[in-house]
Each structure stands twice: as structure tokens, then as C-alpha cells.
Amino acid sequence: MAEFATNESYITEFVILGFSNSLEQKVPLFLIFLLIYLFTLVSNLLIITLIFLHRNLHTPMYFFLCNLSFLDIFLTSVTAPNLLHNIISKNKRISFSACIAQLFLFNILTTVEYMLLTSMSYDRYQAICNPLRYYQNMNKNTCQIFAGMAWIGGFLAPLPIRVLVVLNCFILTVTSYVFIISTILKLSSSKGRRKAFSTCSSHLTAIILFYAMIASMYMKRPSSYSLDEGKVQSVLFSNIIPMLNPVIYTLKNNDVKETINRMTHISFKSLRSRRNTMK
């Protein structure tokens, strides 16, 4: 929407289009995205809690995973509440300043994710290619420096060099996995290759999903761009990826699954003992 004054146009609001005004579609859409948002919050908070409470998860990989979980909570919280409001509300307007603030935060946090995933790639490179010196190379100070650089580096997003940051992250990630795959293929036993690949399969899955989504959104010819398709892809990127990350790292991670099973067993055991005491 535009306001006009003294021969100049000032944009004060945008009207958000793209969602149906039909009540039959509004309610299901609202419930679906609400469940996605709640699942994202709960699953990422669960991972953060597990990592903080259990010393066996106090390793470089889980340090970065904890940072990624925090990031996914922030990233989805930038867009999801406003998305839910726009689906269910009759007022589809967003102020210019709110729109710019949301875009600014989204770009910053997306850049942080590029850099965090790159740091995690380097961590997997050290774990597989230099296993004997892994904890020496990826010590606490090194991990904190990598994580700090990722969070601070996100503020480069508004600058003209955002594209260079993304390109460098992609090149470093690919380079890390070239060395990783080369090292795995050189292992003599198939059991050793499977074990080595299992340590990076979760991160590799997350990387492929992340960059595939980015490529599908931005690496298109202008003539083939579809507004409806673009809306679906942007919603998927901002809501589905933060939801899938904890699933990927949990389902393919034995350490996390064992910790969850141990916590569940302890909780049931404690509950049973309380019931027996009450009897």
C-alpha cells in the first residue's frame, strides 16, 4: 500500500498475498504451520537440553549442533509467527519497517547457517581425516572461534559481499567432503568405511537438503520463475528445514538416540519407584 504526499510516494505498508481467504483452507493451513513451528521449537530445545545435561555429548560436533539448534529456533521464529498471523487474520498488511526488519534478520540468520554448516564440515573433516589429532585440532577455543565467526559473520549479509560469503562457504564445504570421501574410500575394510561414513551422514544429509533448497530458489532463469512456486519454496526453506534438522541429526545419530533412551529409561524407573512408594 502507498501513501502520497507533495508529489512523492512513500511506501508505508505491504499487503501479503498468496494465501486463500477460504475458511476451509485457512484453518488446516494454520494448524499445519502451527504444528510445524511447535515441533521445531520443542525438538531443537530437546537437543539443546540433551547436549547441556549429558557429558558424553560435550564434544565439538555436538557443540556445533547446539549452535545450529539455537539458530533454527531463531530462524523459524523470524517468519513463522507472522506467517501464522497472516493465514488466520483478515488483515494481510505488514508495515514497511517490520518487513525490512524481518528480511534483515532472515538474511543474517541464513548467512549464519551457511557459516555454521561450513564449520561443521571442517569438524567432520578433522574427525575422519585426522582422527588421532581431532580433539587437539578441534579444542574448545577453536570451536568457540568458529562458532563466534559464524554468528558475527552473519552481519555481513546486508553488505554487497553476501554472495562471496555464500560462495566461499560452498567451496569450503565441498572441499572438506572431497577429502572426507577420499579418505573413506581408502579404508581397507567395509566395516571401517561404513563406520566412518556414519559419522558424517547426518551432516551430509543436512548439507544436501540446505543447498538443494537454495539452488531451487535462486539458481533459475528469470523467464522460468513462477510466483506460486517461489512462495512454496520460501515457506519450505524458512519452516521445513529448521524442523527437519533435529530429525536428521537424531534419527541418524546413535549417541543422541542412546541418550534419549537412557533418559526415558531413567524417567520410567523413577516414576515406578514413586508409585511403589505411594503404595
Side-chain angles (χ1 to χ4, degrees):
M1 181 178 179
E3 284 186 354
F4 299 93
T6 62
N7 297 326
E8 291 183 339
S9 297
Y10 298 95
I11 299 175
T12 61
E13 291 180 328
F14 292 108
V15 177
I16 307 297
L17 302 176
F19 294 102
S20 173
N21 290 320
S22 169
L23 186 62
E24 291 80 8
Q25 294 183 9
K26 271 186 175 183
V27 175
L29 276 175
F30 178 82
L31 291 176
I32 289 170
F33 284 109
L34 178 62
L35 289 174
I36 289 173
Y37 182 48
L38 292 177
F39 180 84
T40 302
L41 294 180
V42 171
S43 57
N44 280 291
L45 284 172
L46 176 62
I47 286 180
I48 293 168
T49 303
L50 288 174
I51 293 172
F52 269 104
L53 293 181
H54 294 272
R55 294 188 62 83
N56 63 309
L57 300 180
H58 291 184
T59 63
M61 182 177 73
Y62 294 108
F63 170 78
F64 289 117
L65 180 56
C66 187
N67 277 267
L68 185 63
S69 293
F70 272 115
L71 174 66
D72 283 338
I73 290 173
F74 297 148
L75 185 60
T76 193
S77 295
V78 168
T79 57
N82 194 47
L83 173 65
L84 293 170
H85 175 265
N86 285 322
I87 290 174
I88 206 68
S89 174
K90 292 182 179 180
N91 181 12
K92 305 294 185 183
R93 291 178 172 84
I94 182 173
S95 69
F96 177 79
S97 57
C99 182
I100 294 300
Q102 181 173 300
L103 180 63
F104 179 73
L105 289 172
F106 183 79
N107 284 339
I108 285 176
L109 294 174
T110 302
T111 304
V112 173
E113 184 150 7
Y114 278 114
M115 300 182 78
L116 267 181
L117 290 174
T118 304
S119 299
M120 295 172 79
S121 299
Y122 181 74
D123 171 72
R124 294 299 82 203
Y125 160 76
Q126 288 291 344
I128 293 173
C129 299
N130 298 302
L132 298 179
R133 300 183 62 187
Y134 172 61
Y135 287 102
Q136 179 183 349
N137 293 339
M138 297 302 296
N139 56 56
K140 184 178 180 180
N141 289 336
T142 301
C143 292
Q144 289 175 344
I145 289 172
F146 275 114
M149 288 174 61
W151 286 100
I152 295 172
F155 287 91
L156 295 174
L159 301 178
I161 62 167
R162 190 174 73 193
V163 175
L164 292 178
V165 173
V166 172
L167 182 61
N168 284 331
C169 287
F170 178 75
I171 292 172
L172 289 172
T173 299
V174 171
T175 303
S176 295
Y177 271 98
V178 167
F179 283 105
I180 288 170
I181 293 171
S182 175
T183 300
I184 291 174
L185 292 177
K186 289 177 183 177
L187 296 175
S188 56
S189 68
S190 58
K191 183 179 179 180
R193 288 194 293 270
R194 285 196 301 270
K195 185 177 180 181
F197 183 74
S198 68
T199 64
C200 64
S201 59
S202 297
H203 179 256
L204 182 59
T205 303
I207 283 284
I208 292 173
L209 179 65
F210 182 78
Y211 279 103
M213 190 65 70
I214 292 293
S216 68
M217 288 173 63
Y218 297 113
M219 296 182 67
K220 283 186 174 181
R221 292 178 298 176
S223 59
S224 64
Y225 179 78
S226 166
L227 183 60
D228 290 334
E229 185 181 342
K231 285 183 289 189
V232 171
Q233 289 173 337
S234 63
V235 169
L236 288 176
F237 179 77
S238 58
N239 292 275
I240 302 301
I241 287 183
M243 180 191 73
L244 289 181
N245 277 340
V247 175
I248 292 168
Y249 283 101
T250 301
L251 291 180
K252 292 195 172 187
N253 195 300
N254 290 328
D255 291 334
V256 174
K257 287 191 288 187
E258 288 174 7
T259 301
I260 292 174
N261 291 334
R262 196 180 307 121
M263 284 184 65
T264 305
H265 177 72
I266 293 172
S267 298
F268 278 118
K269 190 175 180 181
S270 175
L271 184 61
R272 287 175 185 173
S273 64
R274 287 181 183 178
R275 287 179 178 176
N276 293 333
T277 304
M278 290 174 68
K279 291 178 181 179

